[in-house]
Amino acid sequence: NEQDVFFDIGAHYGYFSMLASRLVGQLGKVYSFEASPKTYRILEKNASDCANVISNNLAVSDSSSFLEFYEFPNLYSEYNTLDVDQFKNESWFTNSKPTAVKVKSVTLDKFAEREHVEPEIIKIDVEGAEYQVIKGFRDYLEENAPLIVMEFLSEKRGNEAHLNAEKLLRSLGYDSYIIDRKGKIEEVKNIADFLESKDVESDNIVFKKG
């Protein structure tokens, strides 16, 4: 909606940030978070003409500190991550080893308080750091009800972080939904079973407070 505040956690090159920029309008704000310095430079360039996009070269986690982050070559940069072990059995990993860099991390609780912002929608795509992101935003989520759209992996892709994030979100009053072909949301009680029934490795799941 126009005038909304949108958080893009794991913004990569900014596709969803650019889309949100148009949807929230001049009176809205988009806060983009990208941990990879290399990827962030492209995000910053892509967002340079969007006055309502604020780009942040930060990892989002459950503590404010410095973390070791892994950058893959451009072809596999979508998998940039804090947890590189999850990809070691992938066929492409042997010839596309990542580079470790130190990145600054922030909790969304502290960030939202410091910037005096209240996001209505949060998109999360962070390759295994989902639980830390939610944990670092728990105080806000206990008192507020933003819509959360999170990439969710199937069991065969390794989804422990997603399951832990889901469990925490449910404890905070959230239910899970998928987006149907008409753009409407449909409740899904068991996300893992849904992914298996559709024979897909991942999907974007909407979490909404009941």
Side-chain angles (χ1 to χ4, degrees):
N1 297 327
E2 289 197 3
Q3 303 184 37
D4 276 357
V5 173
F6 181 93
F7 277 10
D8 189 356
I9 316 299
H12 199 237
Y13 295 152
Y15 176 84
F16 287 103
S17 291
M18 301 301 99
L19 178 60
S21 171
R22 297 183 65 178
L23 294 175
V24 303
Q26 294 181 353
L27 297 179
K29 292 287 185 184
V30 176
Y31 291 84
S32 303
F33 299 83
E34 175 52 50
S36 163
K38 187 165 58 175
T39 302
Y40 174 78
R41 288 194 289 271
I42 299 173
L43 166 66
E44 192 176 34
K45 183 176 181 181
N46 288 341
S48 61
D49 291 332
C50 300
N52 60 353
V53 176
I54 299 95
S55 302
N56 300 275
N57 187 194
L58 295 167
V60 176
S61 189
D62 55 358
S63 65
S64 297
S65 59
F66 285 89
L67 303 174
E68 192 165 71
F69 188 80
Y70 296 90
E71 293 182 317
F72 289 102
N74 280 341
L75 182 61
Y76 299 104
S77 64
E78 65 181 291
Y79 301 123
N80 290 342
T81 182
L82 292 168
D83 175 23
V84 72
D85 289 340
Q86 63 184 307
F87 299 116
K88 285 187 174 178
N89 293 325
E90 297 291 335
S91 58
W92 50 265
F93 184 85
T94 303
N95 296 319
S96 304
K97 293 291 178 65
T99 301
V101 294
K102 288 288 186 183
V103 298
K104 189 175 182 180
S105 69
V106 66
T107 70
L108 290 184
D109 275 339
K110 293 280 181 61
F111 183 89
E113 181 181 6
R114 186 180 70 229
E115 298 294 325
H116 305 289
V117 291
E118 298 182 356
E120 281 83 15
I121 302 177
I122 302 161
K123 168 239 150 188
I124 303 173
D125 185 355
V126 288
E127 304 302 327
E130 291 76 13
Y131 176 68
Q132 290 100 312
V133 170
I134 300 301
K135 186 180 176 186
F137 206 30
R138 181 171 186 161
D139 290 349
Y140 183 88
L141 296 179
E142 283 182 339
E143 302 295 331
N144 300 277
L147 202 68
I148 296 172
V149 183
M150 186 176 79
E151 183 189 41
F152 205 103
L153 299 187
S154 66
E155 184 178 358
K156 61 185 175 184
R157 278 284 304 277
N159 64 356
E160 183 179 357
H162 304 82
L163 292 171
N164 288 335
E166 176 193 2
K167 184 177 180 180
L168 179 52
L169 284 169
R170 291 194 187 283
S171 76
L172 293 167
Y174 278 87
D175 297 313
S176 55
Y177 301 80
I178 53 112
I179 303 172
D180 66 21
R181 293 179 180 274
K182 295 181 180 179
K184 304 294 185 181
I185 60 172
E186 175 186 335
E187 187 171 7
V188 171
K189 296 288 188 183
N190 190 305
I191 302 170
D193 286 351
F194 166 76
L195 296 176
E196 186 175 349
S197 72
K198 295 297 183 182
D199 193 27
V200 294
E201 292 189 349
S202 67
D203 203 347
N204 289 314
I205 303 299
V206 176
F207 290 90
K208 181 176 179 286
K209 276 199 178 180

